[in-house]
Amino acid sequence: MTARAAARVRAWLAVGALLLAPVVLWAAARPLDSRVASATATLSSLANITALMGTAAFAANLIIGSRVRPVVRLFGGLEAMYAAHRRLGVAAFGLLVAHAVLATGRAAADSGQDALALFSPASGWAVFTGTVALAGMAAALAATLFARLSHETFVLVQRGLGLTFALGAIHALGVPGTRSSTPLLIFLGAVVAVALTAFAYRSWRSGSLVRRRGYTVTGVNRLDGSVVEIRLESAGPAMSFLPGQFIFVSFRAGSIGREPHPFSIASSPGAPTLDIVVKALGDHTRALMSLVPGTQADVEGPYGAFSYLNVPHVRQIWIAGGIGVTPFLSMARSIDASAYEIDFYYCTEGPEHAHLLDEMLEIADRDLRLRVIAVRTRSLGRISAQDIIGVSRPIEHDAAVLICGPPLMMDHLAAQFHELGVPRDQVYFEDFSFLAPAADRRRVTLRATGRVRPHN
């Protein structure tokens, strides 16, 4: 078992213990036989169990989403942490829906009127806040999974989940089932307090738990009206990173906003500056088009595992779609291509969009084992896995495929390579689909190496 895999196992064991602990405390408060003495008692017990586990899962989700260094280390990296964040969010919602269904069924066993009252203020503040919280969680989860949200809107939705959790916590701590057990009340109260503290810290504060380095914008190179290359210089020691990783950057400019956004690193680890290439895809990235030298910035990271250095194969196929070239530029700027055999496919609509092609060709001229293949989709159509194998020869077992580009491009190529016999563990991608609909995300069947959507 690799170190990363072992870290994920330890992290999930910790999460499992957090979810089961309130159930154990609840079970110890009364004899278990009395909790299943009748059908209605069993329904009540199941409703309590799902409520406690759902609340704990929701709390764990907020703690994980805080992105503080101890949590990232626990999961062995940001990509595994975000994968857990998504799964726990869905699990928490499923458990809380099950709780609502079971509680309604228990009330309906007495009378239909009692069941309907659970969804109105007549049920009392402790119960009704749970109804409001569940409705808010459903709306936020639906927006996150099934709508294409900008990063700014996504952040607002996630902050709304903090209020939703606070309402749900009032419900969980205020109902008789929790208040009847002092150890359970203390434990659940402590978990809620930690979750809300982590959420508030992540949303409105910065400091020692999330290390940020101060940088200054020293260069702004506008490649066209929608793409800009930004050069950052640190006043202190340079950041250490692997080529292909990404960072979170917040610029101290009133017109841009201070919310950190993720960007792939374009520079090599040995370069004196930290470079990012930004395409205007939303309000924030459009605002960066007007960035000026001298602007101060805070940089957090690095994150991610999308790097040729993390791939065991000497022979590699790199595939970039549009601005997805950025992590490959970092790799090409730092790689000793004589030790590798690399075919790089750079897919753009037309030559006017291939801003970084000239530099990639210059690197290929110096290192003849790096071959650059430019693909113009406007005239040639979308590239397929069969096209790539036709040019690069079969790659069933002796090569790794690294893909970075639009979500649909990555999804389609991943499926095609798998159909052509390329093992799933030989296909890696930088996942730009963090905000994509679930229907798109479910089509991805290969191993994911990054789960945050860099806005480059």
Side-chain angles (χ1 to χ4, degrees), residues 343-365:
D343 286 350
F344 171 58
Y345 292 83
Y346 187 9
C347 307
T348 60
E349 186 178 353
E352 69 276 14
H353 301 292
H355 304 293
L356 304 170
L357 177 60
D358 288 344
E359 182 174 355
M360 295 295 290
L361 290 171
E362 290 174 4
I363 295 172
D365 288 340

Side-chain angles (χ1 to χ4, degrees), residues 175-370:
V175 294
T178 303
R179 301 186 70 85
S180 62
S181 170
T182 300
L184 174 59
L185 186 63
I186 293 173
F187 177 83
L188 205 59
V191 170
V192 167
V194 170
L196 289 176
T197 300
F199 173 79
Y201 185 90
R202 180 73 255 175
S203 299
W204 289 290
R205 295 190 60 192
S206 62
S208 59
L209 289 181
V210 180
R211 183 182 180 187
R212 294 194 175 105
R213 298 173 173 88
Y215 277 76
T216 301
V217 176
T218 58
V220 179
N221 179 23
R222 294 173 181 83
L223 303 180
D224 65 19
S226 63
V227 179
V228 62
E229 184 178 26
I230 300 170
R231 181 153 291 173
L232 301 162
E233 188 170 335
S234 174
M239 174 186 291
S240 297
F241 62 89
L242 295 179
Q245 288 190 296
F246 63 89
I247 52 177
F248 283 83
V249 185
S250 59
F251 294 94
R252 302 182 195 175
S255 61
I256 295 175
R258 296 293 301 276
E259 182 66 34
H261 284 63
F263 301 93
S264 292
I265 302 171
S267 51
S268 68
T273 59
L274 194 64
D275 301 343
I276 59 176
V277 181
V278 181
K279 182 176 178 62
L281 298 171
D283 294 340
H284 180 81
T285 46
R286 277 192 293 270
L288 292 181
M289 299 300 108
S290 61
L291 196 68
V292 296
T295 302
Q296 300 299 303
D298 295 311
V299 176
E300 173 192 338
Y303 294 112
F306 185 72
S307 176
Y308 74 93
L309 293 174
N310 289 328
V311 175
H313 296 80
V314 169
R315 185 171 173 238
Q316 298 179 14
I317 308 296
W318 298 355
I319 309 168
I323 205 65
V325 66
T326 309
F328 293 115
L329 182 60
S330 176
M331 296 184 208
R333 285 172 167 173
S334 60
I335 196 171
D336 177 7
S338 63
Y340 292 85
E341 180 185 345
I342 297 171
D343 286 350
F344 171 58
Y345 292 83
Y346 187 9
C347 307
T348 60
E349 186 178 353
E352 69 276 14
H353 301 292
H355 304 293
L356 304 170
L357 177 60
D358 288 344
E359 182 174 355
M360 295 295 290
L361 290 171
E362 290 174 4
I363 295 172
D365 288 340
R366 297 194 301 268
D367 296 303
L368 298 181
R369 288 172 66 86
L370 170 62

Side-chain angles (χ1 to χ4, degrees), residues 123-208:
S123 60
W125 63 268
V127 174
F128 188 62
T129 52
T131 301
V132 174
L134 185 61
M137 190 179 184
L141 193 63
T144 300
L145 295 179
F146 301 107
R148 291 190 179 275
L149 304 178
S150 67
H151 184 81
E152 293 80 7
T153 304
F154 178 79
V155 169
L156 289 176
V157 170
Q158 293 300 301
R159 287 184 175 176
L161 280 175
L163 176 60
T164 298
F165 176 75
L167 291 174
I170 292 173
H171 167 72
L173 297 173
V175 294
T178 303
R179 301 186 70 85
S180 62
S181 170
T182 300
L184 174 59
L185 186 63
I186 293 173
F187 177 83
L188 205 59
V191 170
V192 167
V194 170
L196 289 176
T197 300
F199 173 79
Y201 185 90
R202 180 73 255 175
S203 299
W204 289 290
R205 295 190 60 192
S206 62
S208 59

Side-chain angles (χ1 to χ4, degrees), residues 316-448:
Q316 298 179 14
I317 308 296
W318 298 355
I319 309 168
I323 205 65
V325 66
T326 309
F328 293 115
L329 182 60
S330 176
M331 296 184 208
R333 285 172 167 173
S334 60
I335 196 171
D336 177 7
S338 63
Y340 292 85
E341 180 185 345
I342 297 171
D343 286 350
F344 171 58
Y345 292 83
Y346 187 9
C347 307
T348 60
E349 186 178 353
E352 69 276 14
H353 301 292
H355 304 293
L356 304 170
L357 177 60
D358 288 344
E359 182 174 355
M360 295 295 290
L361 290 171
E362 290 174 4
I363 295 172
D365 288 340
R366 297 194 301 268
D367 296 303
L368 298 181
R369 288 172 66 86
L370 170 62
R371 184 168 57 154
V372 177
I373 302 101
V375 179
R376 305 286 182 253
T377 58
R378 183 187 299 147
S379 55
L380 299 177
R382 294 177 179 174
I383 195 169
S384 69
Q386 187 65 63
D387 296 331
I388 293 168
I389 290 176
V391 174
S392 296
R393 68 184 170 82
I395 57 176
E396 284 88 346
H397 300 290
D398 69 335
V401 180
L402 286 73
I403 313 172
C404 184
L408 287 179
M409 170 188 171
M410 294 192 298
D411 294 355
H412 291 157
L413 286 175
Q416 291 168 15
F417 277 116
H418 181 58
E419 289 173 0
L420 292 173
V422 179
R424 293 176 180 175
D425 60 1
Q426 288 178 214
V427 183
Y428 305 78
F429 63 96
E430 178 68 282
D431 188 358
F432 282 59
S433 65
F434 183 58
L435 305 181
D440 290 345
R441 196 173 296 124
R442 279 194 297 268
R443 286 198 297 272
V444 181
T445 57
L446 65 163
R447 195 181 91 179

